[in-house]
Amino acid sequence: MTLHLRPAAARGHAEHGWLSSRHSFSFADYFDPDHMGFRALRVINEDWIAPETGFGTHPHRDMEILTYVIAGAVEHKDSTGGQGLTRRGEIQVMTAGTGIRHSEMNPLADQTLHLLQIWILPEAPRLTPGYRQAVFDDDSKRDRLRLIASRDGHDGSLVIHQDAAILAGILSPGQSLSHPLATGRGAWVQVVAGALTVNGQVLSAGDGAAIENEAAVVLASENGAEIVLFDLA
């Protein structure tokens, strides 16, 4: 069994006044050659965005970009005409492909936006840009791992252009879950809230862990936890 812990306190850190961000992997001005991503997972940023501020219009290309809202709401607009308001319990996915320009703003005057920004390397370059979002409320994730994004969009998940499955779960106190891993695949677990054990290793909010050479990812929590799990080729 191989499990590599990425403690929350060891992450990269950026403060911009309107934005406080923690980087699990190298990003922007934060560079760590030992943390450049895990398999096709390239970025996990935990962001806190002040009211009525956000990321103005900027470009991306050749990346699958997911936004997982923890609290508040994010307003999305992009150059393909895609737009939407994504709240807690909703997920948005953007294929940057051949090139896209977008903005991600906190439209609320009285609440900080808290989210995970996730980048997945696509399986092919120069894909057609696009945007989609869907609802995955807390009840649908309670004491189960709910598929929220996948290559083929099964079970109502959002399509991403990579051999990856992204699942989210909310464990009630005293509950446990297990996710099987096919031979050769690896998993990344990111703790959104609470604390739990992952294959016997204790993780708390903000921690991540890479898991390889295991038949399953086993999750258990005494007091409750919320996680996002990446099953990667």
Side-chain angles (χ1 to χ4, degrees), residues 11 20 22 44-49 66-74 86-92 108 111-118 136-138 141 148 168-170 190-194 205-207 225-228:
R11 294 177 295 178
S20 178
R22 303 294 189 275
I44 300 180
N45 291 345
E46 185 174 7
D47 292 343
W48 292 262
I49 300 167
L66 293 83
T67 301
Y68 183 101
V69 177
I70 301 168
V74 58
T86 307
R87 302 173 178 85
R88 176 171 175 84
E90 297 179 278
I91 307 295
Q92 59 163 265
L108 304 179
Q111 187 174 1
T112 296
L113 168 60
H114 184 195
L115 57 80
L116 295 180
Q117 182 184 135
I118 298 158
F136 302 97
D137 63 22
D138 286 2
K141 296 176 282 190
I148 61 174
I170 299 174
Q190 187 68 31
V191 184
V192 176
D207 291 346
E226 180 176 359
I227 64 102
V228 178

Side-chain angles (χ1 to χ4, degrees), residues 38-113:
F38 176 69
R39 298 191 178 212
L41 177 60
R42 178 61 188 84
V43 167
I44 300 180
N45 291 345
E46 185 174 7
D47 292 343
W48 292 262
I49 300 167
E52 299 183 313
T53 66
F55 299 92
T57 303
H58 60 284
H60 289 291
R61 64 182 304 153
D62 290 331
M63 196 67 67
E64 301 290 282
I65 300 174
L66 293 83
T67 301
Y68 183 101
V69 177
I70 301 168
V74 58
E75 184 176 22
H76 169 95
K77 294 180 181 178
D78 68 51
S79 54
T80 72
Q83 58 182 340
L85 188 67
T86 307
R87 302 173 178 85
R88 176 171 175 84
E90 297 179 278
I91 307 295
Q92 59 163 265
V93 174
M94 185 176 68
T95 295
T98 54
I100 197 168
R101 295 180 60 81
H102 74 121
S103 62
E104 307 292 339
M105 306 298 292
N106 178 0
L108 304 179
D110 60 351
Q111 187 174 1
T112 296
L113 168 60

Side-chain angles (χ1 to χ4, degrees), residues 73-232:
V74 58
E75 184 176 22
H76 169 95
K77 294 180 181 178
D78 68 51
S79 54
T80 72
Q83 58 182 340
L85 188 67
T86 307
R87 302 173 178 85
R88 176 171 175 84
E90 297 179 278
I91 307 295
Q92 59 163 265
V93 174
M94 185 176 68
T95 295
T98 54
I100 197 168
R101 295 180 60 81
H102 74 121
S103 62
E104 307 292 339
M105 306 298 292
N106 178 0
L108 304 179
D110 60 351
Q111 187 174 1
T112 296
L113 168 60
H114 184 195
L115 57 80
L116 295 180
Q117 182 184 135
I118 298 158
W119 292 10
I120 303 284
L121 295 166
E123 59 192 353
R126 302 191 60 78
L127 297 169
T128 300
Y131 172 80
R132 48 240 178 246
Q133 69 180 67
V135 176
F136 302 97
D137 63 22
D138 286 2
D139 285 345
S140 73
K141 296 176 282 190
R142 186 82 57 192
D143 298 324
R144 64 182 289 235
L145 290 171
R146 175 67 168 96
L147 186 68
I148 61 174
S150 66
R151 191 185 209 171
D152 62 6
H154 70 281
D155 196 23
S157 60
L158 293 169
V159 172
I160 52 173
H161 298 95
Q162 180 53 265
D163 185 4
I166 304 176
L167 307 100
I170 299 174
L171 279 74
S172 302
Q175 294 299 307
S176 61
L177 296 169
S178 181
H179 174 76
L181 280 178
T183 301
R185 297 185 71 88
W188 181 277
V189 175
Q190 187 68 31
V191 184
V192 176
L196 75 167
T197 61
V198 179
N199 290 32
Q201 173 72 54
V202 177
L203 274 72
S204 299
D207 291 346
I211 300 151
E212 296 180 293
N213 305 313
E214 269 285 10
V217 179
V218 181
L219 312 166
S221 180
E222 290 186 4
N223 299 309
E226 180 176 359
I227 64 102
V228 178
L229 186 153
F230 302 82
D231 183 326
L232 303 159

